[in-house]
Amino acid sequence: MNKKFPDGFLWGGATAANQYEGGYNQGGKGWSVSDCVKQKFDVDVTNYEAHNFTTSKEIEEALANPDDVRNYPKRRGSDFYNRYKEDIALFAEMGFKVFRLSIAWSRIFPNGDDEKPNEEGLQFYDNVFDELQKYNIEPLVTMSHYEPPLNLVLKYDCWYSRKTIDFFVKYVEVICERYKDKVKYWLTFNEVDSMIRHPYTTGGLVKDRFEGKNFEEVIFQAMHHQFVASAIATKICHEIIPGSQVGCMLTKMTYYPYTCKPEDVLESQQRMRATYCYSDTQVFGEYPAYLLARFKNDGINIVKHPEDDNVMKENPVDFVSFSYYMSSCVAADETGLSTTAGNTITAIKNPYLESSDWGWQIDPIGLRISLVDLYDRYRKPLFIVENGLGAKDELVDGEVNDQYHIDYYKEHFKAMYDAITIDGVDLLGYTSWACIDLVSESTKQMSKRYGFIYVDANDWGEGTFDRYRKKSFYWYKDVIKSNGETIFE
Ligand code: BGP
């Protein structure tokens, strides 16, 4: 019997405006937090903390250098803003059923607190959605992917302030109303949990602005505001766009116990719960007891409004989306164990796994385990909205022989197939990260390449930005055309 994915499985690719769109000074766009993130060439790429920390001084320096795209790569991205037609044609050539992108909030409300939206920004996404429609590609839109308007940071401390809920709600009303006939699948906040690891890009929180305050409490307060905003956004979406599907988005960390010592097993359970607590909140519509216990034990006091609990309870998400790149180990006692980098974490190395050039441990079975765990926990449809391998590609005579990307995808697709057909997981679709080369979130490098499409630009933004089909481009095209059958050849 031929092995295929279920009919209607949504194959495609993912991107985000802050890393892909560029055009930071075009079409009336305002500054976003990501436009002020500098590439730290002298810092080791595995030192995620140094790469993901932004100070007030750094923001001042960024604003004093408004034309610098060399050191601020997210300003240029991969120039989707000016090349969207060409890129969408390439996605269509691969046979994409779905394309994940984010709307840059500061393109719609340049300062976040503007009275009226920026028509040119709205028109840009109209053009993009129309272009996708031409090829029957379904858009999957993230409302906020590391793109809060900078003005909200400087004026209100962004998500720490309750006011930001209102600004966000206004933005959501505008985009839902405008795109109601064009977009059915929505995600509210990309990796809502990531505020813990990079408070600036996710929450617009600059640590030095909170001197004298417990910064962990600041983060959880800001996250509470995002949970409430996400619930209201879900409600708005459902009201304005009947039949729309709204998902949460979680960084799916997967921690194995380093040994079968009960202490290590307990440690991994604790770490997994520290991952799940955010999706638990968005799926069940309330903070889980173990997170409330943590708040109590750590002396964290969240200021809530009386209506918050109801809003969250009444508007849970329709599906659960997540990113999955790697797995790691944990132990109760880490002494003497070697560590490696992961997606904005450092964790214990697993002796059974190989790592990418950036130290992320490659683990397709971990994807199957993740799918099963998430489905058993939530009983809601799942959507893998990020998965892929950052690698060093070489363009030779217009070609890129990226067999390593193919090998990575093939094993992960087999794991997905097993999760669907053996474990009974309801998986809506898959969007690879990223389907085209773009600026890395953690290191801001262009040379950490994930795409099926090569973009001719280096870490300094030098190059033609021309697009080239990699070997994996043709391979993925066959996978989609055969609905997964060719991965078993
Ligand atoms: C996810 C983010 C993405 C993305 C990806 C890969 O956590 O949602 O924005 O960039 O990680 O990470 P990196 O770009 O650091 O390789």
Side-chain angles (χ1 to χ4, degrees):
M1 197 187 66
N2 293 346
K3 291 177 163 183
K4 278 185 189 250
F5 278 65
D7 286 345
F9 188 79
L10 292 167
W11 293 101
T15 59
N18 83 92
Q19 290 154 265
Y20 176 47
E21 195 174 278
Y24 77 109
N25 56 0
Q26 292 179 264
K29 182 180 176 296
W31 290 105
S32 83
V33 293
S34 290
D35 294 324
C36 299
V37 174
K38 198 173 184 180
Q39 181 164 193
K40 298 177 179 165
F41 289 100
D42 50 343
V43 175
D44 185 89
V45 291
T46 59
N47 183 353
Y48 83 90
E49 274 166 338
H51 281 285
N52 288 286
F53 191 75
T54 303
T55 62
S56 294
K57 206 162 162 263
E58 285 171 331
I59 295 173
E60 271 170 41
E61 190 193 333
L63 291 175
N65 293 284
D67 302 323
D68 184 351
V69 289
R70 184 181 170 88
N71 292 298
Y72 297 93
K74 289 180 162 195
R75 294 178 180 178
R76 57 178 137 87
S78 301
D79 199 27
F80 177 66
Y81 188 75
N82 296 300
R83 294 170 188 253
Y84 68 93
K85 285 193 181 171
E86 178 187 353
D87 287 359
I88 292 171
L90 286 164
F91 302 150
E93 190 182 326
M94 273 188 279
F96 276 22
K97 313 282 180 219
V98 61
F99 171 56
R100 177 179 176 221
L101 72 161
S102 67
I103 293 180
W105 183 358
S106 68
R107 200 174 277 294
I108 308 301
F109 284 98
N111 300 295
D113 60 356
D114 315 72
E115 206 39 57
K116 287 205 169 92
N118 168 32
E119 175 54 33
E120 228 184 313
L122 287 167
Q123 187 58 50
F124 169 67
Y125 295 105
D126 261 324
N127 298 346
V128 169
F129 297 141
D130 290 347
E131 200 66 18
L132 289 168
Q133 217 165 44
K134 221 163 92 180
Y135 300 103
N136 286 323
I137 300 174
E138 193 83 55
L140 167 61
V141 175
T142 319
M143 295 171 176
S144 183
H145 193 137
Y146 312 149
E147 293 124 359
L150 183 72
N151 179 55
L152 296 185
V153 177
L154 304 178
K155 223 156 138 187
Y156 308 94
D157 280 319
C158 207
W159 280 102
Y160 183 64
S161 163
R162 179 122 197 149
K163 283 203 178 95
T164 298
I165 299 180
D166 300 333
F167 299 135
F168 184 75
V169 164
K170 188 169 167 188
Y171 157 69
V172 172
E173 280 168 350
V174 165
I175 57 174
C176 284
E177 194 52 55
R178 178 80 172 216
Y179 307 125
K180 62 181 173 211
D181 299 324
K182 299 179 182 179
V183 183
K184 177 178 165 202
Y185 292 101
W186 297 85
L187 305 177
T188 52
F189 292 93
N190 182 67
E191 297 183 339
V192 77
D193 53 286
S194 65
M195 204 185 306
I196 299 284
R197 300 183 301 280
H198 35 88
Y200 173 67
T201 39
T202 308
L205 306 175
V206 181
K207 196 173 179 190
D208 59 67
R209 293 171 64 99
F210 296 96
E211 258 166 42
K213 286 204 165 80
N214 171 355
F215 196 52
E216 204 189 350
E217 186 174 82
V218 168
I219 291 173
F220 277 111
Q221 182 66 60
M223 209 185 277
H224 175 71
H225 292 149
Q226 286 200 344
F227 286 143
V228 174
S230 175
I232 300 174
T234 305
K235 184 171 188 275
I236 293 171
C237 241
H238 287 157
E239 282 169 4
I240 299 182
I241 317 173
S244 57
Q245 295 286 304
V246 186
C248 58
M249 198 309 199
L250 168 77
T251 320
K252 181 59 183 70
M253 299 297 187
T254 298
Y255 294 108
Y256 301 137
Y258 187 70
T259 72
C260 52
K261 247 193 291 177
E263 289 85 348
D264 287 356
V265 177
L266 179 65
E267 183 61 27
S268 85
Q269 188 185 52
Q270 296 289 322
R271 291 286 274 276
M272 289 312 301
R273 286 182 123 201
T275 290
Y276 289 132
C277 59
Y278 312 104
S279 41
D280 282 1
T281 305
Q282 290 187 291
V283 174
F284 301 129
E286 61 188 15
Y287 287 110
Y290 65 95
L291 184 56
L292 293 175
R294 177 176 165 195
F295 289 165
K296 195 164 164 225
N297 296 335
D298 293 356
I300 292 174
N301 292 303
I302 308 287
V303 179
K304 283 187 191 174
H305 277 203
E307 67 274 19
D308 291 359
D309 286 345
N310 271 349
V311 168
M312 285 165 62
K313 191 74 197 169
E314 283 165 12
N315 300 286
V317 290
D318 302 312
F319 67 93
V320 176
S321 84
F322 64 98
S323 62
Y324 174 88
Y325 293 92
M326 26 77 35
S327 66
S328 329
C329 293
V330 287
D333 179 4
E334 298 189 0
T335 320
L337 297 175
S338 47
T339 57
T340 186
N343 188 4
T344 55
I345 56 158
T346 306
I348 295 169
K349 220 169 159 21
N350 185 330
Y352 301 100
L353 297 179
E354 290 190 357
S355 301
S356 77
D357 289 340
W358 277 261
W360 299 20
Q361 301 184 102
I362 301 167
D363 181 14
I365 293 176
L367 176 58
R368 179 171 171 192
I369 294 169
S370 299
L371 285 163
V372 171
D373 281 354
L374 286 169
Y375 194 62
D376 283 356
R377 197 175 184 100
Y378 299 130
R379 295 289 161 112
K380 295 233 183 194
L382 305 180
F383 208 137
I384 301 169
V385 295
E386 287 186 31
N387 168 246
L389 174 74
K392 289 174 191 154
D393 286 338
E394 227 188 314
L395 181 70
V396 182
D397 298 330
E399 291 185 1
V400 180
N401 185 0
D402 61 335
Q403 186 59 41
Y404 36 87
H405 283 136
I406 296 174
D407 295 342
Y408 179 98
Y409 284 126
K410 190 184 258 188
E411 293 312 309
H412 286 76
F413 292 175
K414 285 183 184 164
M416 280 152 48
Y417 181 83
D418 287 345
I420 295 169
T421 57
I422 301 172
D423 306 319
V425 168
D426 180 3
L427 184 59
L428 291 172
Y430 174 92
T431 57
S432 71
W433 184 271
C435 46
I436 178 165
D437 294 346
L438 41 66
V439 174
S440 155
E441 160 55 22
S442 55
T443 67
K444 333 294 175 243
Q445 292 168 292
M446 193 68 201
S447 53
K448 188 180 187 188
R449 296 178 183 274
Y450 287 89
F452 301 113
I453 300 163
Y454 184 92
V455 175
D456 177 32
N458 65 15
D459 287 342
W460 295 269
E462 297 157 347
T464 60
F465 283 75
D466 284 349
R467 278 56 172 153
Y468 294 89
R469 296 165 184 81
K470 301 183 194 177
K471 186 176 177 188
S472 57
F473 178 101
Y474 301 101
W475 177 82
Y476 195 40
K477 184 180 173 178
D478 287 343
V479 170
I480 298 177
K481 197 166 171 214
S482 68
N483 199 11
E485 207 178 331
T486 53
I487 62 175
F488 298 102
E489 282 173 358

